[in-house]
Amino acid sequence: MGQPDEAGARSPEAIEELFDDLESPLLGYALRLTGEREVAEDLVQEAFMKLHAQFEEVREPRRWLYRTVHNLALNYRRDSAKLLPLQPQRDEADAPAAEAADPLPLPDEQIARLEGIGLVRLSLAALDDRSRELIRLKFHEDLSYAQISERTGLKTGHIGYLLHHALKAIAAELAKTGVVS
């Protein structure tokens, strides 16, 4: 696995083998570090995406993945410790100011939002059926990777990989239209 071919390059199958071998152990490791299943799934997905981008330079992918998940988890814990939840202080002096704010967006903001939604829908339509279905399950039905895996039969790491590439394709399409930079 991960062995260079005659030209010195590693095959794409090597990454898939790593997904198959390490997705569950890495998820368990990330879960122990973060204590949150969804965060752990995101960190493992991010680690695999980083590996995919640097695969040719990584000499020991297993060790590299564990170290990357470890570092990402530490960064997450550090960053989440900095966040303070906003608890609105409700007293008599604040009440009129809160009621005076207009909750409706301006008409031009509404139009821009609707145009953005239309462009996202067009970008989704350009994806293959499997990618569209994974995005629907993740974002419309709000399923975890494990639940998507049960429905589709795909491995959870592979789901993250496919979702990453689908979202990247959508982002690239939206960047072309100027919706995102």
Side-chain angles (χ1 to χ4, degrees), residues 22-41 43-44 66 69-70 72-74 76-77:
L22 296 177
E23 68 179 326
S24 292
L26 282 170
L27 278 171
Y29 182 60
L31 184 58
R32 285 191 305 276
L33 293 172
T34 64
E36 298 178 50
R37 178 80 181 173
E38 296 242 348
V39 171
E41 289 172 350
L43 296 181
V44 171
Y66 273 96
V69 167
H70 179 83
L72 290 170
L74 290 179
Y76 168 78
R77 288 173 55 186

